Amino acid sequence: MKTFFKWLAIAAFASVLSACGYNDFQSKDEAVKAAWGEVVNQYQGRADLVPKIAQIVKAYATHEEATFEAVTKARSAATSFQITPEVLNDPAAFEKFQQVQGQLSSALSRLMAVSENYPQLKADGLYRDAQSQLEGIENRIKVARNRYIVAVQDYNVLARSFPTNLTAMAMSYKVKPSFTVDNEKAISTSPDVDFGGKK
């Protein structure tokens, strides 16, 4: 009889553990970390490409020193930001990460705009190759960010749904931050478009 109650207690304990979602939290947390790793990997690829593009553009546009300094500074900030697993659980650190990556994106946009003023640069094969690589990396960044957003959404739904939210509270599993748009209010407003026509 004692053996029966012992096995019954083990079965009850196992069903409580599976119902509490502990294992689901572990698998979803690992999915978030893996997705984050891919985001970081793509951002690093972009940061590694920046010096090559800047060097090519600099050969043609020597008087654009302010742009080159901005790119160098933004790349330095992006690569010096310490990316640790704690970033995923710290909204302020996550926001800082987004901020430094946004600054690098902005500096790269200015660098690419400079290149538009130099037709001979746009014809340079090295520049075209680097630009193509950058476009590919930017696309992979978008895909990696999207996968991360989905992984975080799955984790956060588990952390906020009943009864697994009780496990989240007991184990201090907090909702994880996700990517946001820098200026959400500005992009939600329709732009004024003037085609120069008369009414």
Side-chain angles (χ1 to χ4, degrees):
M1 194 67 155
K2 284 184 178 182
T3 306
F4 172 73
F5 285 118
K6 178 181 170 185
W7 285 109
L8 184 62
I10 291 171
F13 182 70
S15 69
V16 166
L17 277 180
S18 66
C20 76
Y22 178 81
N23 289 337
D24 289 336
F25 275 109
Q26 303 318 304
S27 66
K28 290 188 187 301
D29 187 51
E30 289 303 315
V32 167
K33 288 176 185 172
W36 176 251
E38 186 57 25
V39 169
V40 171
N41 184 40
Q42 296 305 327
Y43 276 132
Q44 185 62 51
R46 179 177 71 174
D48 291 345
L49 186 60
V50 168
K52 179 180 178 181
I53 293 173
Q55 183 179 12
I56 295 167
V57 175
K58 197 172 193 177
Y60 287 90
T62 55
H63 65 282
E64 301 284 353
E65 199 59 40
T67 302
F68 299 126
E69 285 179 22
V71 169
T72 303
K73 185 177 177 184
R75 181 187 183 273
S76 176
T79 56
S80 66
F81 186 83
Q82 294 297 314
I83 301 165
T84 62
E86 289 74 34
V87 169
L88 300 179
N89 298 318
D90 183 354
F94 192 85
E95 186 177 331
K96 178 68 175 164
F97 174 80
Q98 281 188 221
Q99 197 175 51
V100 296
Q101 292 301 329
Q103 289 167 353
L104 182 56
S105 293
S106 177
L108 268 173
S109 294
R110 289 193 305 275
L111 182 65
M112 300 315 276
V114 164
S115 69
E116 294 297 317
N117 298 327
Y118 299 90
Q120 68 275 30
L121 170 61
K122 294 191 323 188
D124 186 298
L126 289 174
Y127 176 75
R128 285 196 317 265
D129 289 347
Q131 188 176 26
S132 177
Q133 289 175 25
L134 180 61
E135 288 170 3
I137 287 174
E138 291 293 345
N139 286 333
R140 289 190 295 277
I141 287 172
K142 288 176 189 170
V143 169
R145 281 176 54 135
N146 187 52
R147 288 181 181 154
Y148 175 77
I149 289 167
V150 170
V152 167
Q153 178 186 10
D154 289 347
Y155 178 92
N156 288 346
V157 166
L158 184 67
R160 296 176 67 202
S161 299
F162 184 80
T164 53
N165 66 334
L166 301 176
T167 302
M169 285 188 285
M171 303 297 286
S172 298
Y173 296 151
K174 295 187 174 22
V175 172
K176 295 185 182 296
S178 191
F179 285 105
T180 59
V181 177
D182 286 337
N183 195 349
E184 193 172 330
K185 186 175 180 182
I187 66 168
S188 65
T189 307
S190 297
D192 293 328
V193 179
D194 182 9
F195 292 106
K198 294 183 179 179
K199 294 182 179 178

